[in-house]
Amino acid sequence: MLLTQEQIYQLGIPLSTLQQHSKIDQILIHQQIEILEVLTSFETNNRYEIKNSLGQRIYFATEDTDCCTRNCLGSSRPFTLRILDNMGREVITLERPLRCVSCCCPCCLQEPTEIQAPPGVPVGYVIQNWHPCLPKFTVQNERREDVLKITGPCLVCSCCADIDFEIKSLDEENVVGKISKQWTGLVREAFTDADNFGIQFPLDLDVKMKAVMLGACFLIGHILKDDM
């Protein structure tokens, strides 16, 4: 259900932010290349530009972790991702717990990742589901009710091609969108860990669920770094 204008102001969410969400059915995420990381392999805080289908920047995301956590735990690390609008206001926060490096059994799955919009107000969760062959996730609303499913390919390593994760209805009969890790070229793939992603979802999807799907994309991106 869409929030009223009064509720938006009460929650502290900029009205323009949710208006942007309501008009968007595709999001592009471009991770910025960190020169220090390329030259020294010293892990730095990841930064991303988030754009609409026209290539216009609508958000900027930055990871918030300490140096020791980044370089000792790698892509399995817990982190907070802060998503800012073009005015520099934090509008969405993603909290990802520590991930076990093995997912061969149900006890070693990613703990639920919480998405907040605005910061401090949970709007949904992304949960990793166990499957012997496929990466699978469940998207929940703020009441921890299942809303959508996400299913990835059996092989998450692909050369010269995109890797697609399908967004499906709860019964998994209908595909309603997808999250894609986009192939960025041989040189960039070989010498950097900077990734590009695309998200497609229904235009009439609840704006809070669109924020959760954005969080799901960042979570999948980090899990792919573990598995590739």
Side-chain angles (χ1 to χ4, degrees), residues 63-78:
E63 178 186 350
D64 184 5
T65 54
D66 62 75
C67 176
C68 182
T69 298
R70 290 194 307 272
N71 288 279
C72 293
L73 299 178
S75 54
S76 297
R77 63 185 179 270

Side-chain angles (χ1 to χ4, degrees), residues 182-194:
Q182 300 169 343
W183 174 256
T184 57
L186 184 60
V187 173
R188 179 163 175 163
E189 294 282 347
F191 293 101
T192 78
D193 64 356

Side-chain angles (χ1 to χ4, degrees), residues 18-161:
L18 290 190
Q19 286 176 334
Q20 286 178 353
H21 277 187
S22 66
K23 299 174 183 177
I24 287 176
D25 62 358
Q26 183 177 0
I27 291 176
L28 306 175
I29 300 173
H30 296 159
Q31 184 176 352
Q32 296 189 336
I33 297 176
E34 303 293 342
I35 300 300
L36 177 64
E37 193 169 316
V38 173
L39 295 177
T40 66
S41 298
F42 184 84
E43 186 74 25
T44 59
N45 275 323
N46 292 325
R47 297 185 300 166
Y48 309 83
E49 281 193 322
I50 303 171
K51 303 178 180 180
N52 59 22
S53 58
L54 299 177
Q56 300 167 328
R57 193 176 86 172
I58 54 176
Y59 298 120
F60 184 82
T62 181
E63 178 186 350
D64 184 5
T65 54
D66 62 75
C67 176
C68 182
T69 298
R70 290 194 307 272
N71 288 279
C72 293
L73 299 178
S75 54
S76 297
R77 63 185 179 270
F79 64 83
T80 298
L81 191 77
R82 306 189 188 281
I83 301 176
L84 315 175
D85 65 12
N86 288 327
M87 300 294 291
R89 298 170 295 192
E90 185 176 349
V91 293
I92 302 172
T93 303
L94 183 151
E95 297 282 356
R96 185 224 193 184
L98 175 68
R99 184 198 184 214
C100 179
V101 294
S102 172
C103 56
C104 296
C105 60
C107 63
C108 295
L109 297 176
Q110 170 70 58
E111 290 293 317
T113 296
E114 182 179 88
I115 294 86
Q116 305 168 2
V121 180
V123 294
Y125 302 85
V126 182
I127 298 173
Q128 186 178 15
N129 306 126
W130 185 83
H131 190 278
C133 301
L134 302 175
K136 304 189 79 170
F137 305 85
T138 298
V139 177
Q140 297 181 331
N141 61 21
E142 69 274 20
R143 296 181 296 277
R144 304 301 294 265
E145 299 167 340
D146 295 352
V147 177
L148 293 167
K149 298 285 187 178
I150 300 175
T151 303
C154 183
L155 295 176
V156 296
C157 181
S158 178
C159 181
C160 302

